[in-house]
Amino acid sequence: MPETMIFMVILIFLGILFLTLLFSFIPVGLWISAWAAGVKIGLFNLVGMRIRKVIPARIVNPLIKATKAGLDLQIDKLEAHYLAGGNVDRVVNALIAAQRADIDLGFERATAIDLAGRDVLQAVQMSVNPKVIETPVVAAVAKDGIEVKAKARVTVRANIDRLVGGAGEETIIARVGEGIVTTIGSAQTHKEVLENPDAISRNVLDRSLDAGTAFQILSIDIADVDVGKNIGAELQTDQAEADKRIAQAKAEERRAMAVALEQEMKARVQEMRAKVVEAEAEVPKAMAQALREGRISVMDYYQLKNINADTNMREAISKSSKEEKGS
């Protein structure tokens, strides 16, 4: 009798263990929820999902939601999208939101948008509720040289047809900034921009900046306009400073050339003096030669010496008198 009891307990334990493993592998509770929601799906399909390493709840729960919303979706396509790395629940939510908002969005396009890395649910919500993109401060210079800083708010709506392959918000911001710079730069004075900031909005909006992007621009509003630096005056000041430095460099060049010429003249004076000294050295030789040849007499020579001494004396007296007058 005790052995029979032990055997029964073991059988009950093994049965409970088997049922636990079975129900953990076969999501019976999920199958019951789907059946109660009117979704026809077999247990073997759920087992097949387990074998294909697909979490059944990730497929069945969105399918129940879509069926209740009136969407006709096939479980095989949902499973294929899941195996491709997509977010099934987000795609189903986007389809339900598009249906409620009367937006033409098919399952294939929604899955393509999701697999492209974009949030398809956010795109549908943005189609219903436009988004405001605020650009950073854009600085441009009018023709009078005054810098003008402007900030814009761009109201955009998602374009479902261009979500795949369309440019993002960064492109919109860059194009709007380019349009602001062009508009301010074409203004004659900065006062025109300050008086009519809506002209910037009109000019930028007429440029079809949303071409090739995933958005449709609804409006461009200038949020703030400020006056910046006087760029023209700064450029003129910098140019004047540069011209001054060039003139100083040229003047320094001329001064260096003058100094070099002065030194050259001094060298030439010394050269001439050396030639004079050399010529004076030839005088005694010529006098001696003339005395030997009898061309002049000794008395002529002494008379010449007297004249030379008298000349030196006169020069000394004249120099001393000039020094006395200067003192």
Side-chain angles (χ1 to χ4, degrees):
M1 187 67 180
E3 294 178 356
T4 304
M5 292 293 294
I6 294 173
F7 181 71
M8 291 295 295
V9 171
I10 293 175
L11 285 179
I12 292 172
F13 176 75
L14 291 176
I16 293 173
L17 181 61
F18 175 75
L19 291 175
T20 302
L21 293 176
L22 181 64
F23 288 142
S24 64
F25 188 76
I26 301 176
V28 179
L30 189 62
W31 177 77
I32 294 173
S33 299
W35 179 79
V39 178
K40 296 180 180 180
I41 184 172
L43 283 174
F44 290 104
N45 288 337
L46 298 177
V47 174
M49 290 182 188
R50 292 285 193 187
I51 295 174
R52 290 188 292 272
K53 296 182 180 180
V54 176
I55 301 175
R58 299 284 181 87
I59 306 297
V60 176
N61 288 333
L63 183 60
I64 293 173
K65 190 190 307 181
T67 303
K68 287 298 183 181
L71 297 177
D72 184 16
L73 300 180
Q74 298 179 6
I75 190 171
D76 292 337
K77 291 186 177 181
L78 293 177
E79 187 177 352
H81 183 62
Y82 177 84
L83 291 174
N87 191 320
V88 177
D89 189 62
R90 187 165 55 195
V91 169
V92 171
N93 290 336
L95 292 173
I96 295 173
Q99 183 190 40
R100 296 292 187 269
D102 197 17
I103 297 175
D104 185 15
L105 178 63
F107 178 78
E108 299 297 335
R109 181 173 293 276
T111 53
I113 294 172
D114 185 61
L115 291 177
R118 296 187 181 273
D119 192 336
V120 61
L121 179 59
Q122 184 183 7
V124 174
Q125 292 173 348
M126 194 182 300
S127 297
V128 178
N129 185 19
K131 180 181 179 181
V132 177
I133 302 174
E134 186 169 322
T135 65
V137 177
V138 179
V141 181
K143 290 184 178 180
D144 60 353
I146 304 299
E147 182 185 40
V148 179
K149 298 179 180 179
K151 181 188 293 184
R153 289 191 177 95
V154 186
T155 304
V156 297
R157 180 172 59 193
N159 192 326
I160 302 295
D161 296 332
R162 294 203 300 255
L163 275 177
V164 179
E169 295 182 10
E170 293 80 6
T171 302
I172 293 291
I173 294 174
R175 290 181 179 179
V176 171
E178 179 184 357
I180 293 174
V181 171
T182 303
T183 304
I184 296 176
S186 61
Q188 294 296 329
T189 64
H190 68 286
K191 295 181 181 179
E192 295 181 5
V193 181
L194 298 178
E195 292 173 357
N196 302 302
D198 57 333
I200 301 177
S201 303
R202 292 195 303 269
N203 293 336
V204 175
L205 196 59
D206 293 340
R207 296 168 65 91
S208 300
L209 302 180
D210 54 3
T213 66
F215 303 98
Q216 178 185 358
I217 297 179
L218 301 179
S219 66
I220 299 175
D221 305 305
I222 302 301
D224 187 21
V225 179
D226 294 325
V227 178
K229 301 178 181 178
N230 192 337
I231 303 298
E234 291 184 358
L235 291 176
Q236 292 178 358
T237 302
D238 294 340
Q239 184 63 41
E241 184 67 22
D243 293 341
K244 185 184 76 171
R245 292 179 180 177
I246 293 174
Q248 289 177 346
K250 291 182 177 180
E252 183 65 23
E253 181 181 0
R254 290 193 298 269
R255 189 190 69 82
M257 292 179 62
V259 172
L261 183 60
E262 180 184 3
Q263 296 297 326
E264 183 180 355
M265 292 296 103
K266 290 181 178 180
R268 293 181 65 182
V269 168
Q270 295 296 330
E271 182 181 358
M272 293 297 105
R273 287 179 179 175
K275 290 182 178 180
V276 170
V277 171
E278 183 180 0
E280 290 177 350
E282 295 294 328
V283 172
K285 296 180 180 180
M287 293 293 293
Q289 183 69 24
L291 286 173
R292 282 194 297 269
E293 293 177 357
R295 294 181 181 179
I296 60 174
S297 63
V298 176
M299 295 302 297
D300 293 333
Y301 174 73
Y302 281 115
Q303 187 177 0
L304 183 61
K305 295 290 285 181
N306 290 332
I307 294 172
N308 190 20
D310 184 62
T311 302
N312 292 334
M313 181 183 66
R314 292 177 182 274
E315 289 178 356
I317 293 171
S318 175
K319 186 181 297 184
S320 61
S321 62
K322 288 181 180 180
E323 289 178 356
E324 290 178 357
K325 290 181 180 179
S327 61

